[in-house]
Amino acid sequence: MDWIEQGLDDWRKASSDLQVVTESADGIFTQLWEDIKEIVIAAEKQGIRLMTNGSPQKRVVIMLANSSFFGKPLPADRKLAIDLAADRSSIVARSDAGEIHLKIEVCSDGVVCLKYQSHPITSRDAAKDIMQDFLFKGNSPFLPGRMI
């Protein structure tokens, strides 16, 4: 009955992985937020008016309305919401530019990591992807062909 042993081994590993993911999720989410804040600071230095807010598991970046973007005001606030799932297994970033879903999983090396589209991604690269979409897609004043 090797299949019973295999089933029990798989169950034990899944339980162990779930526990370590749950224990690591807050730290991973905090690191992602720190990386996003670095990009916010860099964008502000370039004249893009942004504000951060939120709670420990629900963070927000706001592109402020009526702030000057090189002479043309943005007609309404734009909001980027970054949420840690209640079960601690994923992070979702949502804005008018779309959604980015990041999974928190145990990677092949046994370390808890972020995954995007089933591939490991660093927190810094995930932050860049999230902010690049928010700053330059959707209702952004910085879309190609949109004069500002």
Side-chain angles (χ1 to χ4, degrees), residues 1-135:
M1 301 273 178
D2 289 338
W3 61 269
I4 294 174
E5 265 184 60
Q6 182 62 48
L8 289 172
D9 287 346
D10 292 347
W11 173 77
R12 285 184 193 102
K13 181 177 180 344
S15 295
S16 175
D17 286 357
L18 178 61
Q19 181 179 355
V20 74
V21 164
T22 301
E23 292 169 354
S24 302
D26 286 326
I28 289 172
F29 187 71
T30 298
Q31 182 59 56
L32 177 65
W33 182 245
E34 291 301 317
D35 292 335
I36 286 172
K37 286 193 319 186
E38 283 183 25
I39 296 168
V40 166
I41 291 167
E44 288 175 327
K45 287 179 181 177
Q46 295 296 318
I48 300 173
R49 296 277 321 268
L50 300 172
M51 181 178 78
T52 58
N53 204 341
S55 66
Q57 283 79 37
K58 294 182 179 291
R59 302 293 188 155
V60 178
V61 178
I62 299 169
M63 185 180 289
L64 300 170
N66 300 319
S67 48
S68 176
F69 291 99
F70 311 101
K72 181 178 179 179
L74 186 65
D77 285 351
R78 293 183 68 229
K79 182 173 127 179
L80 167 64
I82 304 138
D83 299 333
L84 176 61
D87 68 359
R88 304 282 196 265
S89 67
S90 64
I91 297 169
V92 178
R94 291 179 182 89
S95 73
D96 59 38
E99 293 185 359
I100 292 179
H101 294 265
L102 302 169
K103 292 282 190 183
I104 303 172
E105 296 181 356
V106 177
C107 286
S108 59
D109 61 0
V111 176
V112 178
C113 68
L114 284 174
K115 286 188 175 181
Y116 179 58
Q117 298 178 340
S118 301
H119 299 287
I121 186 169
T122 66
S123 176
R124 187 172 297 275
D125 286 344
K128 178 183 172 258
D129 288 350
I130 290 166
M131 289 301 294
Q132 189 168 21
D133 279 2
F134 180 60
L135 292 174

